[in-house]
Each structure stands twice: as C-alpha cells, then as structure tokens.
Amino acid sequence: MASATQTTSRPLIPQHIAETVIAAKSYADDAVIYDAFKWLRENMPLGVAEVEGYDPIWIVTRHADIRTVEKDAKLFHNADFNPILNDRASDAFTREMTGGSVSGLASLTYMDPPVHQQYRMLTANWFLPGKISKLEDQIRELARKSVENFLSFDGECDFVRDFALHYPLRVIMTLFGVPPEDEPKMLKLTQEFFGGHDPEEQREEVKEDPVAAAKMWAAALEDFFQYFDVLAEKRRAEPRDDLLTLIANSRINGAPIGRDEANGYFVAIATAGHDTTSSSVAGGMHGMIEFPQNFEKVKADPSLIPGLVDEAIRWTSPVKHFMRNATQDTEVSGQAIKAMDRLMVCYPSGNRDEAVFENPDRFDITRSPNRHIAFGFGQHMCLGQHLAKLEMRILFEELLPHISSIELAGPPRLVETNFVGGYKSLPVRFRKA
C-alpha cells in the first residue's frame, strides 16, 4: 500500500493536533475537538497525520474538500480498506476474524460502485420523501406517546436517557418490524457497536484490552447477526409489510442476496437508523438551551421547526468521519494525493467551516441556507435522511407546545467515539406549558 507520506513535501500535521483528531476521547469534549478542527481549517486544511499505531492518513477538514472527495465515488473508494478508522492492531484483529479482510461488514458503507448502487436500490424507493410522508400519522402517534412519558417526569429528567434515546428507536423498530420487547436489546447492542472506545460502554471481558473497540464491534456484530438470522427466516416464511421483509426477500440479478449482505443492511438500519437521530434530537435541545433566543423564536413561530431540525443535525454532526482511499493519483486543493492514500473525511469540521457558515459555533435555527454535510454527500449520502428529518420535525412539533422553559440541570456528557455518537446524558429542568 502506498503511504500517505511517501513524498516529504506533504504537509505534516503537528503531533498534538493529529492525536486529538484521531483519539476517540477528544469527541467527548466539544471544546477540544472543535478547537483542533479550527486550527486545521485555518493552517493545514488538508494534511497528513502520523500517529503511533496508525497508518499515515490525510485529514480532510474543509467543507469544499469534503464535498470534492465525497462526490467522486470512483476516484475515492470506501471498501478497499476499512471505511472506519482503526489502529493497526485492531485492523489485524479484524483480518484474523475475517480471513484477511478489514472490511468486516457487507453494508452500503463498505461497498463501492457498481455493487453499491445495486444494493442501495433495493430500499431506495422505500426511503423516498413521498413514501416516508405516508408514515407521518404512525410516527406522530409514537411521538405523542413519547412526549407524554417525558412530561410524566414532572419537571426534571435526563433528556437523553429518559427521552431522546427511545423515540427514534421505537420509530425505526416499528417500521423495521422488530418486536417492542426486543428494543432494549437493540439499544444495548447499538451502544456497544458504536461505543467500543468508551469505557462505560465496553463489555467486562474486553476492558483493558488494546483492541477492545474492535472486539466490542465484532461481538456486537455477531449478536446482531444471530438475532436477525432468526427474524429474516421468519419473514421469508411469513412476509409482512415491513422493511425487514423487503430486505430479507430481496434479489439481485434474480438471485437472493446473501446472508452477509442482508445482515449488513439489517445492522446499518438497526444502529445508525436511530442512534444518529437521537443524538440530533438531544443536540437540538442542548443548542436551544445554550442559545435560548432560538427556543423563544420557535415557540412563537412553529414554522421554524424544519430549520431547527437542520441546525440540530449540523451542530451535532453525529457521524464524525468515514475513511476513503484514492484509486489513482489525483489532486485535492493543490495537494498531491497518491493512489491508495487514505483520507479521513471529518464531517463535524466541515459543518463548522467559516467559509460556509457565518458564526459556525453558534446555534441558529434561522440559518439559511444551511448547507450542512452531516448526511454526507454524493452516492453515499445517508439513505434515511428524509425519515430522520421527518421524525425530528414531528417530535419537536409535539414536544414544544407542552414546555414553557427548559434549562440544564447538570453538565452534558458525550460518548467517547471518533465514528458515530453524540450525547450520553443531558440533565434538564423544564416547566410545563
């Protein structure tokens, strides 16, 4: 493999900045990670990080450069290496588990053209805005029940643990066809799947292990596979009108899709399908608490809720990165990228880029246009983005009329992850309207 530092003239990121961007714990403190991203955008927007234990990689921090990489899925691949950043030891563990591959999951994020398009099209129509809009009444009923539960806490609760985690999970599992009694299992496995670097999410048997995150990921993945093998077989024998039935019975070129590909789809929806939405809901409320004029504006004018949704997604940026690799020599913003060089695409940085967003650290629900890239860009743009926005819009429409004020009752806490994550706790005090 070509190294990202073969040419000595390539810009080398200062060690402490490089370590900050790569370390999972940095993302548990907005001040730490966003200061590092700001320094990079101003001084070295496309530079090489050399961190002990990791392959050399390019760090992509500007909005325009992220779009450049994202829009060309043939020039910048996902699946030649792992599309998620791991250290060498973790990649070695994954190769041992898979028989040589570091791509341990056959989901859309691990696919490149033309295979990616074939599998994406299996569910693309299901996630179109017109199809999703027909689910509004069903989703609104779930939102109302969730708000009723929130209000039962009588003025104080943890907005994440008691509220934001559960509504998006209930929505996606209902549409997916997962029984309500299995939702706690899905939530726990999701937290283990994405939170392998966070000591609070790690299983006891992998604590203190140098490849704990990789082992957590593999263990959660195996548990997901065992669960969905059983459900998929039931849906093939007795089809229903749900997303799980659609995937379990999908065919490409006349042949049923394989077990790994079906399970890859199931896992992607069962994890990112709710975790990113719950993070954005919590981020939206935290943003309004930190910048209360937004709460006052949206209370006075509910037509601002779609703007609140987009700003919550931008400000929170639940997906922290994906990896790409160049398939041939190319150039991005004047930097020579060699074939097989790897690039870490940093969405939170792009969403705070001063060249695109005025006062980017400020939470502003009237921001227009809001050109955030939290859903990615190009062929790999999030398949479920319209569902996520619909869920959030409905939830805020149902919640906000019932509260007259809200404030922090303790410090917010974020998950330690450099991949996908957000709030693990947001203690609040509120008054009912």
Side-chain angles (χ1 to χ4, degrees), residues 8-183:
T8 56
S9 62
R10 295 187 180 187
L12 191 62
I13 296 171
Q15 193 66 23
H16 71 286
I17 298 289
E19 290 173 352
T20 297
V21 171
I22 286 175
K25 65 181 180 181
S26 303
Y27 294 80
D29 187 335
D30 279 353
V32 170
I33 191 60
Y34 283 114
D35 281 355
F37 282 144
K38 182 178 176 63
W39 187 94
L40 285 168
R41 288 193 305 272
E42 292 177 349
N43 298 280
M44 200 176 288
L46 188 59
V48 173
E50 289 187 341
V51 173
E52 185 177 358
Y54 290 82
D55 290 333
I57 58 172
W58 290 91
I59 305 293
V60 189
T61 58
R62 287 196 307 201
H63 189 280
D65 293 340
I66 292 170
R67 284 170 60 100
T68 295
V69 172
E70 291 269 271
K71 73 182 179 183
D72 195 336
K74 292 183 179 179
L75 181 58
F76 295 101
H77 271 188
N78 281 32
D80 295 335
F81 300 102
N82 193 334
I84 305 168
L85 178 65
N86 279 322
D87 57 25
R88 292 192 188 106
S90 296
D91 279 343
F93 170 80
T94 303
R95 288 190 185 96
E96 184 180 337
M97 293 286 293
T98 61
S101 171
V102 292
S103 292
L105 183 63
S107 73
L108 291 176
T109 53
Y110 289 74
M111 296 177 180
D112 292 312
V115 175
H116 173 265
Q117 290 95 319
Q118 292 178 322
Y119 280 90
R120 187 179 176 99
M121 288 305 298
L122 297 177
T123 61
N125 288 339
W126 200 94
F127 284 104
L128 288 173
K131 170 73 173 178
I132 293 299
S133 66
K134 295 176 182 178
L135 303 171
E136 178 158 346
D137 290 345
Q138 185 180 5
I139 294 173
R140 191 171 295 278
E141 182 59 30
L142 295 173
R144 285 173 177 159
K145 291 179 180 178
S146 185
V147 170
E148 287 175 9
N149 185 65
F150 172 78
L151 296 174
S152 73
F153 286 98
D154 199 28
E156 189 163 339
C157 71
D158 190 312
F159 192 83
V160 173
R161 295 174 182 171
D162 297 325
F163 181 62
L165 282 178
H166 305 289
Y167 161 74
L169 178 69
R170 181 83 279 265
V171 170
I172 200 67
M173 295 304 160
T174 298
L175 303 181
F176 208 20
V178 169
E181 60 268 22
D182 291 344
E183 288 175 16

Side-chain angles (χ1 to χ4, degrees), residues 343-382:
L343 302 93
M344 182 182 185
V345 180
C346 300
Y347 304 105
S349 179
N351 283 335
R352 300 287 180 105
D353 190 338
E354 298 82 356
V356 179
F357 305 101
E358 185 178 358
N359 297 320
D361 295 331
R362 186 175 184 82
F363 188 86
D364 181 3
I365 65 173
T366 65
R367 190 181 297 279
S368 181
N370 193 333
R371 296 174 55 220
H372 72 76
I373 47 176
F375 290 120
F377 187 72
Q379 291 187 28
H380 285 282
M381 198 167 185
C382 175

Side-chain angles (χ1 to χ4, degrees), residues 321-429:
H321 86 272
F322 271 114
M323 299 297 297
R324 302 285 190 261
N325 68 271
T327 58
Q328 63 188 53
D329 291 358
T330 187
E331 185 176 289
V332 177
S333 286
Q335 297 295 341
I337 309 295
K338 300 297 183 182
M340 305 313 286
D341 274 4
R342 300 185 70 197
L343 302 93
M344 182 182 185
V345 180
C346 300
Y347 304 105
S349 179
N351 283 335
R352 300 287 180 105
D353 190 338
E354 298 82 356
V356 179
F357 305 101
E358 185 178 358
N359 297 320
D361 295 331
R362 186 175 184 82
F363 188 86
D364 181 3
I365 65 173
T366 65
R367 190 181 297 279
S368 181
N370 193 333
R371 296 174 55 220
H372 72 76
I373 47 176
F375 290 120
F377 187 72
Q379 291 187 28
H380 285 282
M381 198 167 185
C382 175
L383 189 62
Q385 61 174 305
H386 302 298
L387 176 60
K389 287 186 176 185
L390 179 67
E391 287 179 59
M392 292 178 65
R393 173 176 64 78
I394 291 172
L395 184 64
F396 283 120
E397 286 174 350
E398 295 298 326
L399 173 63
L400 291 174
H402 293 285
I403 54 176
S404 60
S405 66
I406 190 164
E407 64 183 10
L408 290 180
R413 297 176 63 230
L414 299 168
V415 177
E416 291 186 20
T417 178
N418 62 8
F419 178 37
V420 174
Y423 294 79
K424 66 167 69 172
S425 178
L426 186 67
V428 298
R429 275 188 296 271

Side-chain angles (χ1 to χ4, degrees), residues 291-340:
F291 299 90
Q293 66 272 26
N294 291 280
F295 184 78
E296 297 164 6
K297 287 178 181 177
V298 77
K299 286 283 291 178
D301 183 1
S303 71
L304 294 175
I305 288 177
L308 163 60
V309 169
D310 267 318
E311 183 67 346
I313 295 167
R314 179 196 74 89
W315 202 65
T316 308
S317 291
V319 179
K320 311 308 179 188
H321 86 272
F322 271 114
M323 299 297 297
R324 302 285 190 261
N325 68 271
T327 58
Q328 63 188 53
D329 291 358
T330 187
E331 185 176 289
V332 177
S333 286
Q335 297 295 341
I337 309 295
K338 300 297 183 182
M340 305 313 286

Side-chain angles (χ1 to χ4, degrees), residues 274-287:
H274 64 89
D275 187 84
T276 52
T277 306
S278 63
S279 293
S280 297
V281 168
M285 187 54 73
H286 185 208

Side-chain angles (χ1 to χ4, degrees), residues 49 228 268:
F228 283 117

